[in-house]
Amino acid sequence: MQSLTEGENAVLGGTAAFIEGVILQPTLFYKNMRQQGKPLSLDPRVVYRGVSAGLLNEVGSTGVQFLLTGAIKHAVLGGSLRKMTDTEEISSALGAGCIGALFTSPVELVMIQQQNYNLGFVQALRHICSNYSINNGRWFIELTSFSTLNIGFSFSCLLFFFPLS
């Protein structure tokens, strides 16, 4: 990953995330429906509702995280070709994951609203804007959920234990 450009890192992460997003969409759907106490379905039109936001989330967040991880690694190394220490590897991935969560949180919120309320993408955005105002505080809680920050930590662990180079 150190020898790749930021663009190559983004493409690599985005491609892997697209494949992952399509394969894992049913699992995410069933998890969300179970958490909300809603009925489960085997109808692909229902199971894959919200897949566009889900793929935008997965491809975007993973691409951004790979790009940021590569950029942070290049900044830490300052052009040298030495092997990074474990602390530098973890810090680079953790930093990228945390910054990437700023993208992931709102997109994931849209996807979940699509699934919960049977809405299209634009309808979900309208629903969020009308029901989650800054004044009542729910927007901030949903937007910065602990589970989203977990994504950054998960990628950090994966990159530490399964380095790409």
Side-chain angles (χ1 to χ4, degrees):
M1 194 166 181
Q2 287 173 226
S3 62
L4 299 177
T5 67
E6 281 79 5
E8 291 169 333
N9 281 323
V11 169
L12 176 65
T15 302
F18 181 85
I19 295 166
E20 173 195 22
V22 170
I23 293 170
L24 293 180
Q25 174 64 23
T27 306
L28 185 59
F29 168 79
Y30 292 126
K31 175 195 74 101
N32 289 335
M33 292 301 102
R34 183 59 69 198
Q35 286 176 333
Q36 299 295 324
K38 296 188 176 195
L40 302 178
S41 173
L42 295 176
D43 183 350
R45 294 171 298 177
V46 175
V47 172
Y48 279 88
R49 183 179 301 124
V51 73
S52 59
L55 287 176
L56 176 65
N57 176 27
E58 291 297 325
V59 171
S61 65
T62 305
V64 165
Q65 288 173 2
F66 271 60
L67 181 143
L68 290 170
T69 300
I72 292 169
K73 284 182 174 186
H74 288 132
V76 168
L77 290 172
S80 71
L81 297 176
R82 69 175 175 80
K83 182 174 173 11
M84 294 182 79
T85 67
D86 291 344
T87 302
E88 290 170 332
E89 288 272 357
I90 292 170
S91 298
S92 297
L94 184 59
C98 290
I99 295 168
L102 297 173
F103 171 83
T104 302
S105 295
V107 176
E108 196 165 283
L109 176 61
V110 171
M111 178 191 65
I112 291 170
Q113 298 306 302
Q114 284 184 280
Q115 292 173 345
N116 285 345
Y117 298 106
N118 191 23
L119 301 172
F121 189 79
V122 174
Q123 292 171 316
L125 289 174
R126 287 186 183 136
H127 174 78
I128 291 166
C129 291
S130 65
N131 292 300
Y132 295 90
S133 71
I134 292 173
N135 295 335
N136 68 19
R138 289 175 62 193
W139 171 261
F140 183 76
I141 292 169
E142 291 275 345
L143 189 62
T144 58
S145 68
F146 177 74
S147 64
T148 301
L149 292 177
N150 236 350
I151 293 170
F153 182 72
S154 299
F155 275 106
S156 300
C157 291
L158 283 173
L159 290 173
F160 176 70
F161 292 110
F162 303 103
L164 295 175
S165 54

